[in-house]
Amino acid sequence: MNQNEYSLAELGWKDSFRDQLSADEQANSLPARVIKTHKGHLVVSTGKNEHLLQIAETGVGSLNEQPTVGDWLLLDGESLVPLRLLTRTSLLQRMSPGQEVKLQPIAANIDTLLIVSSCNTEFNLNRLERYICLAFDAGIEFVMVLTKADLADDPEEFKTKARQLHETMPIMLVDAKDKDSVDCLQKWFSKGESLVLLGSSGVGKTTLLNTINETEKNKTAAIRLADDKGRHTTTTRSLHVMPSGALLIDVPGIRELQLHDCEAGVYSAFSEIAELTEECKFTDCSHTNEPGCAIKKALDEDRIDIRRLKNYLKLLSETQQNKENISEKIKRKSSSGKKKKQAKSKWIG
Ligand SMILES: Nc1nc2c(ncn2[C@@H]2O[C@H](COP(=O)(O)OP(=O)(O)O)[C@@H](O)[C@H]2O)c(=O)[nH]1
Ligand SMILES: [Mg+2]
Ligand SMILES: [Zn+2]
């Protein structure tokens, strides 16, 4: 198990979490951070010890919300039974891939999202825009990390393309295997800050994690579990303490990032288009052939990019549709729940 002991602050504990505790809870409960999630169970760390908690269909114990990596739980000081989930400072979530209408939390209490993509055919503007929407919606900082710069003929070309997505976001070209190359990311790795790596499979997320961990090898203090045999595997989500004291979460490659309840994020990520829509003559303008459409005019005058417009409309309708599907499911569940006289609130899904 874990050979290192940490203080709560070293695990990312902040005043905003402590302020949520009553005097009784301060005396009799134990805060613990979710450092690993896997099908069927999750692992929490109190800094001194790690505990394995089973996830039932309804969540963990009596918690009515599904905890995810990065979450803070309050455990009973004696029995270690989870009592409640502390209110999150941020949450990244998506629709579960597959047929079932279900939400999937990705990571919680994150300060910075590292959007990882590669300087090769994996690079896709439409897909990257999804991550930007997610970061805006969660109200967190984001940095674009373009790996495999060492393998590209012209890595700057990828940086120029990515620049179209946001005027001022930091865009870093790196060789994820090279320590000097990834040093440029250190400014986001302050002590106690939580970061998450998101991107498709194979883009170099785990490589980045390992290289950053190598930077000051002797001070390295990754949280490792017995079943990991010291390797960082990404079949699960896991939180690692970096040499700088930052906490880095590695998530298995995301194939499909379907947005849910992310309208505000879409508006912010596409602000140049969202702002124009307010100038359309009709409030319900579909921007196809209505008179007085500000979007159509801007397109004709080459002031907006057709690709971005299409993706904006697609993401907006996707997030609205998914939100509708989820609320219908909740309604169905609560009416069937009433019939069965079940009083307990349940996690969706
Ligand atoms: N040359 C080079 N190879 C890289 C880079 N980043 C990742 N790789 C390689 O790409 C493969 C996939 O990397 P991995 O970290 O497992 O990707 P993940 O699925 O995002 O975690 C591995 O063989 C890495 O060595 C990079 O920046 N340059
Ligand atoms: Mg990986
Ligand atoms: Zn319009």
Side-chain angles (χ1 to χ4, degrees):
M1 288 288 277
N2 180 19
Q3 295 121 16
N4 305 289
E5 278 198 12
Y6 300 101
S7 67
L8 287 179
E10 284 171 328
L11 286 181
W13 181 252
K14 292 182 179 164
D15 289 353
S16 57
F17 300 117
R18 194 204 51 213
D19 293 348
Q20 298 179 37
L21 271 55
S22 66
D24 178 52
E25 285 173 334
Q26 299 223 14
N28 301 312
S29 69
L30 218 50
R33 193 160 198 196
V34 179
I35 58 165
K36 185 161 173 159
T37 61
H38 193 52
K39 274 200 182 97
H41 71 259
L42 51 87
V43 179
V44 296
S45 171
T46 60
K48 291 200 166 46
N49 289 299
E50 291 175 3
H51 304 281
L52 190 72
L53 302 176
Q54 300 300 325
I55 308 173
E57 203 211 326
T58 49
V60 179
S62 60
L63 302 180
N64 59 8
E65 233 179 319
Q66 183 93 293
T68 186
V69 66
D71 262 322
W72 282 98
L73 297 182
L74 220 48
L75 310 180
D76 180 276
E78 293 201 347
S79 66
L80 301 178
V81 166
L83 303 171
R84 67 184 181 99
L85 183 74
L86 295 186
T87 302
R88 296 150 166 163
T89 55
S90 64
L91 173 67
L92 298 175
Q93 62 175 358
R94 65 165 172 174
M95 290 298 287
S96 256
Q99 296 297 312
E100 204 183 343
V101 177
K102 203 169 138 185
L103 277 177
Q104 187 185 71
I106 302 171
N109 302 318
I110 300 300
D111 300 297
T112 305
L113 167 61
L114 301 177
I115 303 172
V116 191
S117 182
S118 302
C119 298
N120 56 28
T121 54
E122 182 279 333
F123 182 91
N124 179 295
L125 293 174
N126 284 5
R127 174 150 16 85
L128 291 171
E129 274 162 348
R130 290 176 176 266
Y131 292 100
I132 295 176
C133 292
L134 205 65
F136 266 118
D137 205 75
I140 61 175
E141 239 189 287
F142 57 94
V143 178
M144 188 149 295
V145 185
L146 302 179
T147 60
K148 310 196 185 185
D150 55 307
L151 301 177
D153 291 335
D154 185 7
E156 287 294 331
E157 185 195 340
F158 290 90
K159 191 169 174 177
T160 307
K161 280 189 196 151
R163 181 53 69 212
Q164 300 166 29
L165 302 178
H166 191 266
E167 271 179 14
T168 54
M169 70 172 170
I171 305 172
M172 301 297 169
L173 285 171
V174 301
D175 168 359
K177 296 193 296 191
D178 181 57
K179 159 189 163 345
D180 292 337
S181 171
V182 302
D183 263 356
C184 62
L185 298 175
Q186 280 302 328
K187 68 186 260 206
W188 291 280
F189 281 70
S190 306
K191 193 171 168 38
E193 291 289 288
S194 297
L195 301 96
V196 63
L197 294 159
L198 289 186
S200 308
S201 186
V203 293
K205 298 179 297 298
T206 306
T207 306
L208 271 169
L209 169 74
N210 288 333
T211 306
I212 294 167
N213 235 346
E214 283 271 321
T215 321
E216 299 164 68
K217 203 163 190 172
N218 297 333
K219 284 195 257 159
T220 296
I223 288 172
R224 282 173 178 161
L225 297 162
D227 62 351
D228 272 349
K229 298 187 185 75
R231 287 189 306 248
H232 298 302
T233 55
T234 34
T235 51
T236 57
R237 293 160 194 200
S238 51
L239 179 142
H240 308 260
V241 183
M242 294 290 108
S244 67
L247 301 136
L248 183 58
I249 294 172
D250 192 13
V251 170
I254 289 196
R255 221 170 292 150
E256 198 192 347
L257 188 78
Q258 278 257 343
L259 302 178
H260 167 264
D261 198 6
C262 195
E263 269 180 61
V266 176
Y267 290 139
S268 301
F270 294 87
S271 58
E272 87 279 18
I273 296 172
E275 279 164 20
L276 269 180
T277 61
E278 286 171 18
E279 293 171 22
C280 291
K281 188 173 169 192
F282 302 105
T283 47
D284 62 347
C285 184
S286 69
H287 321 300
T288 45
N289 49 20
E290 288 93 335
C293 173
I295 293 289
K296 195 173 174 305
K297 185 162 181 278
L299 263 184
D300 290 344
E301 293 169 3
D302 243 358
R303 282 184 285 122
I304 52 172
D305 177 15
I306 181 85
R307 183 201 61 77
R308 268 177 73 75
L309 174 62
K310 282 185 180 162
N311 206 28
Y312 164 79
L313 294 171
K314 178 171 189 222
L315 295 178
L316 203 56
S317 91
E318 172 184 306
T319 184
Q320 287 164 345
Q321 187 60 53
N322 282 334
K323 192 175 170 185
E324 233 168 76
N325 294 348
I326 288 280
S327 34
E328 261 171 37
K329 186 172 175 185
I330 294 171
K331 257 188 246 155
R332 273 203 311 275
K333 271 206 165 179
S334 78
S335 66
S336 80
K338 271 179 209 148
K339 275 180 213 142
K340 290 180 204 155
K341 292 196 174 137
Q342 283 181 346
K344 234 172 150 186
S345 69
K346 263 191 181 177
W347 168 251
I348 309 147

